């Protein structure tokens, strides 16, 4: 009997993208429910979810399929290069091991200057490495349902699908609004309330 039991070698079974997606959604639903039902709840052990295989696979899917996947960070690696030369499972295993052991450190972003609309001005854009983007995406998957529970549904900008237009009380049409700086200055009360829960 005991001879047939699998040995825990520490090897990780990486879920396929669909399984990862559903596992992440189930956990996000739980996190959101717990945050909503108990506004004073403290979430003390979330980091294990950041390096959970399902969260890392879901994060990789987001990073490798978005428009920035073809853009390399300072390490010159793109998602396609990682997929071809390193392999997704090996890449995610390296990230998981470095997160789990506490040695993961983000790398300096590659800075490029991009045009700022038609004004003739430029702004700096920092491009993280693919590994850093995967970790950021995984953290977002873990933290977003907790933060969303603290925001009021009517608050513009609190939801990922929020529009960048607003309706004036005196107008019947939506008017574009200059949101410069809006996203860089989050709502302090709601954000701080969420942060104290972590």
């Amino acid at each position: 009997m005991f001879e047939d039991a699998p040995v825990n070698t520490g090897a990780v079974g990486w879920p396929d993208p669909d399984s990862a997606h559903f596992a992440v959604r189930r956990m996000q639903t739980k996190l959101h429910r717990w945050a909503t039902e108990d506004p004073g709840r403290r979430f003390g052990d979330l980091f294990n979810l950041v390096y959970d295989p399902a969260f890392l696979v879901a994060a990789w899917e987001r990073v490798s399929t978005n428009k920035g996947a073809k853009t390399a960070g300072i390490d010159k690696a793109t998602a396609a290069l990682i997929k071809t030369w390193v392999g997704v499972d090996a890449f995610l295993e390296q990230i998981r091991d470095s997160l789990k052991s506490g040695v993961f450190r983000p790398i300096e972003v590659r800075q490029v200057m991009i045009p700022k609309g038609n004004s003739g001005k430029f702004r700096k854009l920092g491009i993280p490495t693919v590994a850093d983007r995967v970790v950021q995406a995984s953290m977002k998957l873990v933290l977003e349902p907790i933060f969303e529970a603290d925001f009021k549904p009517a608050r513009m900008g609190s939801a990922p699908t929020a529009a960048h237009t607003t309706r004036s009380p005196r107008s019947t049409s939506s008017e574009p609004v200059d949101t410069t700086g809006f996203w860089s200055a989050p709502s302090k009360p709601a954000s701080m309330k969420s942060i104290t829960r972590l």
Side-chain angles (χ1 to χ4, degrees):
M1 288 264 238
F2 292 109
E3 302 86 35
D4 297 332
V7 177
N8 184 1
T9 60
V12 174
W14 294 97
D16 65 89
D18 287 336
S19 299
H21 171 78
F22 290 115
V24 168
R25 291 302 295 160
R26 278 192 304 272
M27 181 51 73
Q28 286 180 317
T29 302
K30 288 179 186 178
L31 291 169
H32 188 270
R33 186 180 70 240
W34 295 335
T36 304
E37 289 174 353
D38 183 3
R41 183 181 181 129
R42 300 214 20 137
F43 293 85
D45 192 20
L46 294 174
F47 194 64
N48 62 337
L49 291 176
V50 174
Y51 61 77
D52 178 82
F55 277 82
L56 288 174
V57 168
W60 166 260
E61 286 300 309
R62 287 183 175 207
V63 169
S64 66
T65 58
N66 73 15
K67 289 191 294 187
K70 296 178 182 175
T71 307
I74 203 163
D75 63 354
K76 297 185 172 43
T78 63
L81 183 80
I82 290 167
K83 192 181 288 187
T84 305
W85 290 94
V86 179
V88 175
D89 289 355
F91 175 70
L92 294 178
E93 185 67 42
Q94 289 173 354
I95 292 174
R96 184 176 193 274
D97 289 346
S98 65
L99 285 168
K100 197 171 181 179
S101 65
V103 299
F104 178 84
R105 297 290 178 267
I107 299 174
E108 179 182 344
V109 296
R110 179 169 69 97
Q111 287 198 2
V112 295
M113 298 298 285
I114 62 169
K116 194 174 181 181
N118 293 330
S119 66
K121 296 179 181 178
F122 289 85
R123 68 177 180 92
K124 290 181 185 177
L125 176 68
I127 303 170
T129 64
V130 176
D132 289 349
R133 284 182 251 172
V134 169
V135 173
Q136 290 170 5
S138 185
M139 290 178 70
K140 179 182 181 283
L141 289 169
V142 172
L143 296 176
E144 189 172 46
I146 298 167
F147 277 71
E148 286 294 324
D150 288 338
F151 286 101
K152 295 182 177 26
R155 284 188 60 94
M156 184 172 156
S158 64
T161 58
H164 288 252
T165 60
T166 188
R167 185 173 296 234
S168 167
R170 296 183 189 139
S171 172
T172 58
S173 64
S174 292
E175 302 166 4
V177 175
D178 181 11
T179 58
T180 307
F182 179 79
W183 303 108
S184 61
S187 168
K188 300 275 191 274
S191 296
M192 293 311 296
K193 179 180 172 189
S194 293
I195 289 171
T196 60
R197 299 174 79 167
L198 305 179

